[in-house]
Amino acid sequence: MGFLEDSHNALWVYGSGGLYKWTGQRWSNIGDAAGLKDGWATSLLIAKDGAFWVGTHKGLYYRGPRDRQFISLERQGYVARIVQAADGSIWVAHFRGSIDRWIPTIDGPHRSIGGVTTTGVGEIRFDSLGGLWINGLGDGVRHITSESIQKLSSDPPSLNKSVERFSTAEGLSSDYAWPLLIDREGSIWVGTGGGIDRFSRSNFTPARFPSGVHDFSLAAGADNTIWAGSSSTPVMQLKDDAVATFDVPPITFATYRDQKGTVYLGAENGIWRVDAGRPTHIAELPKGLFTVQAMTKDKSDTLWVSLNVDGGLYALSNAHWDKSPIVGTPSAMFTDSLDRVWLGYQDNRLAMIDGSDVTTLGAEQGLMIGEVKAFAQDAGRLWVAGSRGVGYVDGSRLVMVKLGSNEPLQDVTGVVFSASHDLWIHTVAGVYWIRSSSVRDAISDTTLALPYRKFETQDGLPGSSSMAGPSPSVVKSTDGRLWFATSNGVVWLDPDQIISNPVPPPVHIQSILADGKTYPIATVVDLPPRVKDLRIRFSVPSLVMPSRVSAKIHMGGVNKDWSDAGALREVGYSNLSPGRHRFDVIAANEDGVWNTTGDHVLLEIAPAFYQTVLFKALMVLLALVVVWLVVMLRVRQLDYRRRLRFEVQHAERERIARNLHDTLLQDFPALLLKIQSEVATLPEDSSERHVLNETLGKARSLIVESRDHVSSLRSYDVADLSTTIASFAREHASAAGMKLSVSVTGNQRALSEEAYEEASFILREVVLNACRHSGGDRLTIRLDFGPQALCLWVIDNGRGIDPEILEAGAKEGHWGLVGLRERARLLSAQLDVESRSGVGTTIKLVIPRRSAFLPSWRSSPGR
């Protein structure tokens, strides 16, 4: 029949074989020796004090916490169930009989006066609030509230009178009910002959107005009463769940309670006032008008009434009607604590009457309320509700408030503040509850969105409010309860007793599918390489309102932040990278209580061969090798091009050298010999002979110099640049009377043929110009073999170069500087000339490494 575990972890099993105990080693039968004689144990309770209560098919047995023997308490037949209440009392249900209450005492348990009379019991259980649920075998489900049970000691007979009954007439699937379960969230589950039924607590309680009534107009009367007009029944009064009907005819769309607590009713046949609990007719409506839209009363006891849809505004004073000159028919009216009358219109307009002054607010003043439906005041601040939302009056403007989570606030039909200053908003979409602290924050900072809790049909609202129906659609009774008029009746709510589900929902990852294959859930789930389609299914078994249960997910390495999964219970990922990924899921119940621990799983995705570190390292190495080969190929191509250009240059120089040798150097000496023979005929002491001999000497020197230049054109050797330049400079500096200084820094490296050739020419030309034209007495040559470039300086302290020539870049008719720069460009080098008059000239040549030096593989001795 069942089993229980005691405080010592021993297992107790009861059934048709009696009562047995399992201690971890063997079974022990608890029977005649322990005083338990009936053999068939039908129920078992181990009480909070450790006492044992055993029901059998014949009666009830008891064993105290420190006793070893059972005693018989009663012999009244089959005991169906034994449960313990929160106060420690023991409730014993008989299969065909009553439910008795037993009180444990020091002298032993005794039966309490008063119980529950039944015809048959399948199961009983206490819920978390202390209420008792009874499953009957043929008469449905019964419920006794904790308040009724608490009155048992003072009024025992009242217990049976307070039983709530649920049968097929109330929607139960069958009147035959046996299994009964109370889950972790407090819901009551009942198994019947027709199915499974669930009972859950609701914040809204239906008012006991007759069914079928619609278009309710509500007003709170004295002593917690509610007055209700409608379009289908006479005016009703609800007090203590009892409804009284009065002779105020239907189509009573306006009910109003003034600041003194007096209730006014606007009916088809005039205005009624509630005096001493009964309506009294005080005035007929103006001729031709028959529908009251709204009412309010000012400090002079004038009743302002809005009539028909387009009838206008009237003032009722001393049973006399006066039509107001204020244009329009208000859809809502209110008198604030300063005795100012506020009028709200359908066309996004407010009017405020303060004595003889009337102030109008509309779209020009920033009003965005739409059709005004209701007013409310709290802490001296006036609030306005309409089709476009809710706002409060701040001076001459209306400040609209907004809800969090981008929830639209519109189609508002009523607004009210509870005794704790919480804001309640009734809309076509449901009821919004906003705490007073949030309201204060929103007033302090108008940019803030209001956090809220929303109530809908699932929370017990039987229907929605109507924008076309009477307003306001919510009122507060004198006991603090809030009453909401809907399309399917009126419900009330106690704002101080809001029911919330405090239990965070459990979260379970159920399955993992990778490319269609299911993998068992483990601490670490190993997945194959190249997973293209990964699907993770999880559950959030919160059963109070499953449609409102929400979840958030996070996949490490994929999501930076948590993602809102909403009602989804399966998520998919494509082409996850290899390695370890952590998937987390958390969830919240319908009231926003989060299970922040949730559930998680570690996924280990194996890498494919091309995703391994070794493969990637090999690919990087291969890429480097390819890059190196490409660079070397390019270097060889550039070297080949340079060599080809150099060979062309040498061929051209050899051609020039041959032409000079075959023409100038062959014919010019013969010409000199002929001149010399003519000079010899002149007298030795003649001045003409002397001058001609000097001229012939200079001509012979030019021929020698020309032969040297022709020889240099045919030279192919790449000598040491510093030695070559030093030798050249020494010869010419000495002839010019200049002191020479040559220095070399850095690690000397082999030069390319092009660099040597062009740099030698440039330096020779610069040195020659310095020796011939500078007029200085010092010449400095520096060579720096740097890691990135070859730098060469030639510095003299002569007269310098004319600034105009430097600015123009050359002297007209001369090509020296132009030639130097052209040769520098052949090496991609930079040539800088600095000169100041009377200070000297500095010429700097910077040849980049790629043009200046031979590659290491070409500079080796064996190349």
Side-chain angles (χ1 to χ4, degrees):
M1 299 289 289
F3 51 88
L4 292 175
E5 189 177 34
D6 65 18
S7 59
H8 302 290
N9 299 323
L11 187 66
W12 295 79
V13 178
Y14 58 96
S16 59
L19 182 63
Y20 283 81
K21 177 183 180 182
W22 172 258
T23 60
Q25 300 293 329
R26 60 187 181 88
W27 289 102
S28 300
N29 178 258
I30 311 300
D32 291 349
L36 194 61
K37 301 181 179 300
D38 291 342
W40 182 9
T42 57
S43 57
L44 170 65
L45 170 70
I46 303 176
K48 297 176 183 177
D49 61 359
F52 277 70
W53 296 74
V54 179
T56 72
H57 63 296
K58 295 182 178 180
L60 178 65
Y61 288 82
Y62 170 81
R63 193 187 79 175
R66 288 174 290 276
D67 298 336
R68 301 182 64 86
Q69 291 290 314
F70 283 88
I71 61 173
S72 176
L73 294 181
E74 65 174 24
R75 308 293 290 176
Q76 294 185 7
Y78 194 111
V79 175
R81 179 61 63 186
I82 308 172
V83 296
Q84 187 172 20
D87 62 359
S89 61
I90 307 298
W91 295 67
V92 179
H94 299 87
F95 184 66
R96 295 292 182 188
S98 64
I99 301 174
D100 298 328
R101 180 171 179 258
W102 292 76
I103 307 298
T105 64
I106 298 177
D107 299 328
H110 65 272
R111 197 194 322 261
S112 173
I113 299 175
V116 181
T117 303
T118 67
T119 57
V121 178
E123 181 72 272
I124 62 171
R125 288 190 186 274
F126 283 98
D127 61 26
S128 59
L129 299 179
L132 181 64
W133 291 82
I134 306 166
N135 274 11
L137 302 178
D139 57 358
V141 177
R142 280 157 289 173
H143 173 239
I144 305 174
T145 65
S146 59
E147 292 80 7
S148 299
I149 294 174
Q150 292 170 4
K151 297 177 182 178
L152 184 61
S153 58
S154 60
D155 187 10
S158 66
L159 191 60
N160 282 292
K161 299 178 182 178
S162 61
V163 173
E164 291 181 282
R165 300 180 182 273
F166 303 95
S167 64
T168 54
E170 286 75 34
L172 198 67
S173 58
S174 172
D175 288 340
Y176 188 90
W178 193 315
L180 179 62
L181 171 69
I182 301 177
D183 68 19
R184 60 194 297 274
E185 295 174 299
S187 295
I188 314 298
W189 297 81
V190 176
T192 76
I196 299 177
D197 299 71
R198 185 185 72 175
F199 293 83
S200 57
R201 298 178 64 198
S202 171
N203 283 295
F204 296 95
T205 302
R208 297 186 181 274
F209 289 115
S211 60
V213 180
H214 50 88
D215 297 328
F216 282 95
S217 176
L218 305 177
D223 300 326
N224 306 328
T225 59
I226 293 294
W227 291 86
S230 71
S231 62
S232 56
T233 61
V235 167
M236 296 173 287
Q237 181 201 55
L238 178 65
K239 183 177 181 181
D240 298 331
D241 288 338
V243 176
T245 303
F246 297 89
D247 57 356
V248 181
I251 310 184
T252 304
F253 283 167
T255 54
Y256 165 68
R257 180 175 185 265
D258 67 13
Q259 296 180 359
K260 297 178 181 179
T262 303
V263 173
Y264 291 83
L265 308 172
E268 192 177 35
N269 64 345
I271 305 300
W272 298 69
R273 185 180 60 227
V274 176
D275 296 321
R278 297 192 64 84
T280 301
H281 190 270
I282 61 173
E284 296 283 346
L285 296 183
K287 186 177 181 180
L289 301 174
F290 51 85
T291 304
V292 180
Q293 300 290 325
M295 294 183 290
T296 191
K297 191 169 70 170
D298 64 16
K299 59 184 178 181
S300 62
D301 286 338
T302 297
L303 189 66
W304 295 83
V305 183
S306 172
L307 294 173
N308 285 20
V309 176
D310 55 357
L313 178 65
Y314 286 78
L316 177 63
S317 179
N318 298 322
H320 177 73
W321 292 100
D322 288 312
K323 187 172 183 179
S324 171
I326 300 175
V327 178
T329 303
S331 54
M333 304 170 69
F334 186 80
T335 302
D336 65 16
S337 57
L338 299 177
D339 290 320
R340 298 176 300 181
V341 174
W342 290 84
L343 312 174
Y345 296 87
Q346 294 182 351
D347 56 351
N348 189 46
R349 184 163 54 96
L350 290 175
M352 186 264 289
I353 304 174
D354 188 4
S356 59
D357 297 328
V358 178
T359 303
T360 301
L361 301 177
E364 309 82 43
Q365 288 75 37
L367 201 67
M368 296 184 298
I369 198 67
E371 178 184 353
V372 180
K373 296 294 291 185
F375 293 90
Q377 190 169 14
D378 181 69
R381 192 178 299 275
L382 183 69
W383 292 74
V384 186
S387 59
R388 295 185 184 178
V390 173
Y392 60 88
V393 176
D394 184 8
S396 60
R397 66 190 184 101
L398 186 68
V399 181
M400 304 296 289
V401 297
K402 56 185 177 180
L403 300 179
S405 303
N406 296 320
E407 175 84 7
L409 183 57
Q410 57 190 14
D411 296 335
V412 182
T413 59
V415 59
V416 69
F417 283 88
S418 67
S420 58
H421 305 283
D422 291 349
L423 175 61
W424 291 83
I425 303 172
H426 193 195
T427 74
V428 173
V431 174
Y432 294 88
W433 172 32
I434 302 167
R435 295 185 181 274
S436 58
S437 57
S438 300
V439 175
R440 290 193 300 270
D441 291 342
I443 293 174
S444 301
D445 184 354
T446 57
T447 63
L448 290 179
L450 295 169
Y452 64 91
R453 179 175 172 184
K454 186 178 181 181
F455 300 90
E456 302 173 287
T457 303
Q458 298 179 81
D459 300 282
L461 276 174
S464 63
S465 62
S466 172
M467 288 296 293
S471 62
S473 62
V474 54
V475 297
K476 179 174 66 176
S477 57
T478 55
D479 59 1
R481 288 184 292 173
L482 308 182
W483 298 75
F484 298 87
T486 75
S487 59
N488 195 26
V490 177
V491 292
W492 62 265
L493 172 148
D494 187 348
D496 295 327
Q497 300 291 330
I498 299 299
I499 300 169
S500 296
N501 182 3
V503 182
V507 182
H508 303 291
I509 296 176
Q510 293 182 305
S511 65
I512 296 175
L513 289 86
D515 293 335
K517 182 180 178 181
T518 301
Y519 291 83
I521 301 297
T523 303
V524 180
V525 178
D526 294 319
L527 299 177
R530 297 177 295 181
V531 173
K532 295 182 179 179
D533 183 24
L534 177 67
R535 298 197 170 275
I536 302 175
R537 295 173 181 167
F538 58 92
S539 65
V540 187
S542 178
L543 301 179
V544 177
M545 291 186 190
S547 62
R548 287 196 193 166
V549 176
S550 59
K552 290 185 177 181
I553 57 173
H554 180 267
M555 175 69 82
V558 177
N559 305 119
K560 181 179 179 181
D561 300 315
W562 289 87
S563 301
D564 190 359
L568 294 178
R569 297 298 177 260
E570 178 179 295
V571 294
Y573 297 92
S574 300
N575 300 316
L576 287 179
S577 60
R580 176 164 291 188
H581 300 269
R582 173 174 170 140
F583 176 79
D584 286 271
V585 55
I586 58 177
N589 66 13
E590 71 281 2
D591 291 327
V593 178
W594 283 92
N595 177 351
T596 55
T597 302
D599 198 4
H600 75 275
V601 65
L602 295 175
L603 306 173
E604 189 74 42
I605 302 178
F609 75 92
Y610 56 82
Q611 295 173 321
T612 61
V613 175
L614 178 60
F615 181 84
K616 293 179 179 179
L618 291 175
M619 290 298 99
V620 172
L621 180 60
L622 178 60
L624 292 176
V625 170
V626 171
V627 171
W628 183 81
L629 291 175
V630 170
V631 170
M632 295 307 299
L633 178 61
R634 182 60 177 166
V635 169
R636 287 180 181 273
Q637 289 177 344
L638 294 176
D639 183 62
Y640 171 75
R641 292 178 182 177
R642 281 195 296 267
R643 289 180 63 83
L644 182 62
R645 186 180 64 191
F646 187 67
E647 290 173 358
V648 171
Q649 290 175 347
H650 272 284
E652 180 64 16
R653 290 168 63 182
E654 288 178 352
R655 185 187 66 79
I656 295 171
R658 285 194 302 269
N659 291 338
L660 289 174
H661 182 272
D662 294 342
T663 55
L664 179 64
L665 297 183
Q666 292 293 335
D667 296 337
F668 194 59
L671 179 61
L672 291 180
L673 288 175
K674 185 175 181 179
I675 295 173
Q676 181 65 47
S677 64
E678 294 296 331
V679 171
T681 62
L682 296 174
E684 291 185 3
D685 55 352
S686 65
S687 59
E688 291 85 355
R689 181 172 181 170
H690 178 70
V691 172
L692 289 174
N693 282 330
E694 287 182 355
T695 303
L696 289 173
K698 291 181 179 180
R700 292 187 187 95
S701 297
L702 287 174
I703 291 174
V704 172
E705 187 175 348
S706 297
R707 288 184 184 276
D708 291 340
H709 280 296
V710 170
S711 298
S712 66
L713 286 173
R714 290 182 173 273
S715 176
Y716 290 88
D717 295 332
V718 179
D720 178 51
L721 181 63
S722 59
T723 302
T724 301
I725 296 305
S727 176
F728 180 82
R730 192 175 297 112
E731 177 183 351
H732 290 275
S734 176
M738 300 180 73
K739 184 178 180 180
L740 177 67
S741 173
V742 180
S743 63
V744 181
T745 58
N747 296 322
Q748 295 194 49
R749 297 167 58 184
L751 301 181
S752 66
E753 291 90 341
E754 297 91 332
Y756 177 80
E757 177 70 21
E758 303 299 343
S760 297
F761 184 89
I762 291 172
L763 290 178
R764 284 175 180 174
E765 182 72 16
V766 172
V767 169
L768 193 60
N769 286 335
C771 293
R772 289 180 176 177
H773 307 298
S774 70
D777 59 1
R778 289 197 308 275
L779 181 64
T780 301
I781 300 175
R782 289 165 44 197
L783 285 80
D784 179 30
F785 289 82
Q788 302 298 327
L790 172 63
C791 299
L792 307 103
W793 290 267
V794 177
I795 307 169
D796 67 62
N797 64 342
R799 64 178 62 91
I801 304 175
D802 191 338
E804 293 182 358
I805 296 176
L806 283 179
E807 185 176 355
K811 184 178 181 181
E812 186 176 357
H814 294 262
W815 307 101
L817 288 176
V818 175
L820 293 180
R821 288 192 171 92
E822 288 177 349
R823 290 181 179 274
R825 281 197 294 270
L826 292 175
L827 298 175
S828 300
Q830 180 178 347
L831 183 70
D832 294 326
V833 179
E834 296 180 5
S835 181
R836 287 187 297 169
S837 179
V839 176
T841 302
T842 299
I843 295 181
K844 178 181 178 182
L845 178 66
V846 180
I847 308 174
R849 179 180 62 182
R850 65 180 183 275
S851 300
F853 305 125
L854 285 176
S856 58
W857 59 272
R858 285 190 52 194
S859 60
S860 60
R863 70 178 179 87

